[in-house]
């Protein structure tokens, strides 16, 4: 990265902040944090996050693996709200992310996973050593409404981004139609299939939100297939929020 | 026995084994949840077609998959009147 002056222009960070790891039952077993980091570097990314369903147990391994590889990382998860709408909760503080993960997990119904039906849910370390297998089915809805997930995330200094809003399943649009009044969402994510202008035409309220694109990778080859470039002083939540709002010379594309 | 719901989390929490699940959802997880809950079958409404991977999982799990052009409301009304409670 080239160094930046106090006012900019700031460096660019190519970010993919919606990636699943081996902890999500629907993700490939090859998606260890170490492998994701390697693939992210190959794909020219400089900032990643692992956003597993309703859990952040592989975030510590991401911190370690990313640190070793000189890649930046944010920490969080993809929470499935009570209404079954999925939303990214992203933090730059690992402990805050883990604490929110514990709160979310506490409201996840205690239904055991069946790995043959849903896939494996594995917690690993930086070297891909299996630490434990998560027994509770993660691909379920937690008992927290979408609006409150957004509020709690914001209160903890994180970013809340409803995912693939253009998709007909598990999206804010499919489940709620439009965002409840006053929800502190920082951006809306659209999928590789989504066309921004068409979405804005059909859902005028979308014009009030920055639109971002990430991969939603469930396999290594998908990492970085969509990305958002943030022009910020540093890859922190505070800076990214400024970029999303176009404040202080920060921007995104 | 019947249960009508489009939220998989709701079915996981409340549907009883051996029941018929009525939904408009067509994705693979519908069959996975039906298998987990040991449901008799899934009835997909509104003329929607199950996705191919739903059928694959349903075959593995021996879950019956039915469809109807009727809406959920109408087909549930008819089933209930026929004594499917």
């Amino acid at each position: 990265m080239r160094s930046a002056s106090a006012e900019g222009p700031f460096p660019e960070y190519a970010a993919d902040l919606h990636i699943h790891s081996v902890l999500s039952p629907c993700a490939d077993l090859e998606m260890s944090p170490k492998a994701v980091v390697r693939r992210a570097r190959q794909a020219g990314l400089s900032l990643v996050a692992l956003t597993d369903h309703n859990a952040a147990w592989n975030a510590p391994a991401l911190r370690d693996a990313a640190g070793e590889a000189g890649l930046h990382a944010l920490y969080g998860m993809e929470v499935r709200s009570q209404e079954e709408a999925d939303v990214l909760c992203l933090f730059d503080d690992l402990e805050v992310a883990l604490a929110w993960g514990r709160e979310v997990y506490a409201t996840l119904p205690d239904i055991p996973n069946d790995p043959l039906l849903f896939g494996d849910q594995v917690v690993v370390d930086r070297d891909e050593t299996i630490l434990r297998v998560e027994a509770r089915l993660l691909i379920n809805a937690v008992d927290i409404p979408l609006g409150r997930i957004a509020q709690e995330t914001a209160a903890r200094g994180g970013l809340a981004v409803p995912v693939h809003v253009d998709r007909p399943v598990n999206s804010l649009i499919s489940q709620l139609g439009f965002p409840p009044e006053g929800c502190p969402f920082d951006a809306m994510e659209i999928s590789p299939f989504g066309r921004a202008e068409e979405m804005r035409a059909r859902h005028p309220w979308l014009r009030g939100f920055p639109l971002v694109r990430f991969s939603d990778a469930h396999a290594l080859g998908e990492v970085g297939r969509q990305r958002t470039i943030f022009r910020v002083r540093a890859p922190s939540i505070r800076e990214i929020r400024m970029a999303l709002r176009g404040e202080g010379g920060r921007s995104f594309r | 026995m019947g249960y009508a719901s489009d939220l998989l989390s709701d079915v996981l929490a409340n549907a009883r084994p051996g029941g018929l699940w009525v939904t408009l959802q067509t994705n693979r997880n519908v069959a996975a949840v039906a298998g987990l809950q040991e449901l008799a079958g899934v009835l997909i409404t509104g003329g929607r077609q199950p996705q191919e991977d739903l059928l694959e999982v349903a075959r593995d799990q021996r879950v019956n998959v039915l469809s109807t052009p009727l809406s959920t409301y109408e087909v549930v009304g008819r089933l209930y009147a026929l004594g499917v409670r």
Side-chain angles (χ1 to χ4, degrees), chain A residues 127-143:
Chain A
D127 298 313
E128 304 177 316
T129 304
I130 296 176
L131 298 176
R132 67 180 181 86
V133 170
E134 174 54 50
R136 190 179 295 186
L137 180 64
L138 290 174
I139 193 124
N140 200 352
V142 304
D143 200 15

Side-chain angles (χ1 to χ4, degrees), chain A residues 166-190:
Chain A
D166 57 295
R167 300 279 292 131
V169 187
N170 297 121
S171 72
L172 182 157
I173 291 179
S174 76
Q175 302 311 107
L176 287 90
F178 49 88
E181 191 79 24
C183 269
F185 296 125
D186 296 281
M188 298 284 159
E189 184 207 49
I190 52 176

Side-chain angles (χ1 to χ4, degrees), chain A residues 84 111 117-118 140-141 175, chain B residues 7-9 12 28 32 36 61:
Chain A
E84 298 201 353
I111 291 165
L117 274 173
F118 296 101
N140 200 352
Q175 302 311 107
Chain B
L7 291 184
L8 273 64
S9 56
L12 281 171
R28 174 207 181 279
L36 196 68
Q61 296 298 310

Side-chain angles (χ1 to χ4, degrees), chain A residues 146-174:
Chain A
L146 185 64
R148 191 145 74 78
I149 293 170
Q151 281 156 9
E152 295 284 343
T153 300
R156 287 165 173 69
L159 293 176
V161 181
V163 303
H164 48 63
V165 296
D166 57 295
R167 300 279 292 131
V169 187
N170 297 121
S171 72
L172 182 157
I173 291 179
S174 76

Side-chain angles (χ1 to χ4, degrees), chain A residues 84-230:
Chain A
E84 298 201 353
D86 290 345
V87 55
L88 301 180
C89 302
L90 297 163
F91 305 89
D92 44 33
D93 185 323
L94 175 61
E95 290 311 313
V96 171
L98 291 172
W100 175 232
R102 284 190 292 271
E103 281 208 42
V104 159
Y105 183 86
T107 76
L108 187 69
D110 192 6
I111 291 165
N113 182 34
D114 180 340
L116 290 176
L117 274 173
F118 296 101
D120 296 292
Q121 303 181 153
V122 187
V123 180
V124 295
D125 70 8
R126 73 212 286 167
D127 298 313
E128 304 177 316
T129 304
I130 296 176
L131 298 176
R132 67 180 181 86
V133 170
E134 174 54 50
R136 190 179 295 186
L137 180 64
L138 290 174
I139 193 124
N140 200 352
V142 304
D143 200 15
I144 314 173
L146 185 64
R148 191 145 74 78
I149 293 170
Q151 281 156 9
E152 295 284 343
T153 300
R156 287 165 173 69
L159 293 176
V161 181
V163 303
H164 48 63
V165 296
D166 57 295
R167 300 279 292 131
V169 187
N170 297 121
S171 72
L172 182 157
I173 291 179
S174 76
Q175 302 311 107
L176 287 90
F178 49 88
E181 191 79 24
C183 269
F185 296 125
D186 296 281
M188 298 284 159
E189 184 207 49
I190 52 176
S191 80
F193 308 101
R195 289 194 282 255
E197 275 322 302
E198 189 186 303
M199 288 298 298
R200 286 187 188 110
R202 270 198 288 142
H203 308 276
W205 58 264
L206 265 178
R207 295 181 191 142
F209 291 93
L211 293 186
V212 293
R213 289 183 189 270
F214 304 124
S215 69
D216 195 5
H218 285 71
L220 281 180
E222 296 173 352
V223 172
R225 67 176 166 179
Q226 286 211 124
R227 64 192 62 191
T228 299
I229 316 291
F230 293 103

